[in-house]
Amino acid sequence: MVNIASQLEGIIQVVPKKVLSLTDIDYKPRPSKWSKKEILGHLCDSANINHKRFVEILISKEPIVISGYNQDLWVQVHQYHSKFSVEEILNIWTSLNTQIIYLLSAITDEQLELQCKTEEQKAVTLEWLVTDYLDHMNHHLKQIIGK
């Protein structure tokens, strides 16, 4: 888990400068599509949801069931596009992921094997869920800053 925590640390060191250099951060390709700023807001929501999942897996005596959430409504309700500056969203995103880094740094190899279930009742480990979180983040960061 130290490797994933290190990867996450590297990401939060590099991404803010790249995001702040963008000139199209507010551009919405269509009213129904997220702007890059909204995608970043979605990554804040994802960090919130996943942090909660990680903690619940660590403290639960039984495997929890992880459920999805309505991502579009979360972005809409938070009003990332109209109410937040990109700097504010970056501060939230960085803070949330710093909290996740601290959590991941304390997870033991044994805890990585803790199980949870998806809504479809597929059993997955905490390690799988954390890796999926990082993959999801990287996917969206490519949409925002490329590469």
Side-chain angles (χ1 to χ4, degrees):
M1 202 48 38
V2 172
N3 183 37
I4 291 178
S6 294
Q7 288 179 50
L8 198 47
E9 280 180 333
I11 290 168
I12 66 173
Q13 292 299 316
V14 172
V15 166
K17 288 178 187 171
K18 290 184 178 185
V19 169
L20 290 171
S21 72
L22 297 173
T23 57
D24 62 344
I25 194 81
D26 286 309
Y27 174 71
K28 286 179 75 72
R30 293 193 303 271
S32 62
K33 285 288 204 182
W34 290 342
S35 65
K36 291 180 178 183
K37 187 162 75 168
E38 288 171 310
I39 295 170
L40 186 60
H42 164 65
L43 288 177
C44 293
D45 297 339
S46 175
N48 265 318
I49 294 289
N50 280 285
H51 178 261
K52 180 179 182 289
R53 290 172 178 167
F54 302 159
V55 170
E56 286 179 344
I57 291 166
L58 289 167
I59 66 174
S60 179
K61 298 201 185 308
E62 300 293 325
I64 67 163
V65 175
I66 53 172
S67 57
Y69 66 104
N70 190 323
Q71 301 169 14
D72 290 321
L73 285 178
W74 275 62
V75 169
Q76 181 183 352
V77 166
H78 282 120
Q79 304 178 70
Y80 292 117
H81 189 74
S82 61
K83 298 293 183 187
F84 287 84
S85 69
V86 69
E87 293 85 0
E88 290 171 321
I89 298 171
L90 282 168
N91 286 336
I92 295 166
W93 178 79
T94 301
S95 295
L96 290 168
N97 281 290
T98 299
Q99 186 177 31
I100 289 172
I101 289 166
Y102 294 158
L103 179 69
L104 297 179
S105 298
I107 291 176
T108 66
D109 289 343
E110 185 176 274
Q111 289 172 315
L112 287 175
E113 299 306 315
L114 291 171
Q115 299 268 317
C116 61
K117 293 181 180 178
T118 65
E119 285 179 308
E120 300 80 26
Q121 297 300 305
K122 176 185 173 193
V124 297
T125 63
L126 176 56
E127 181 175 24
W128 180 90
L129 192 62
V130 171
T131 301
D132 185 64
Y133 170 70
L134 189 61
D135 290 346
H136 173 259
M137 177 189 293
N138 283 323
H139 164 76
H140 284 302
L141 290 174
K142 285 179 186 171
Q143 291 176 316
I144 297 169
I145 57 177
K147 297 181 192 174

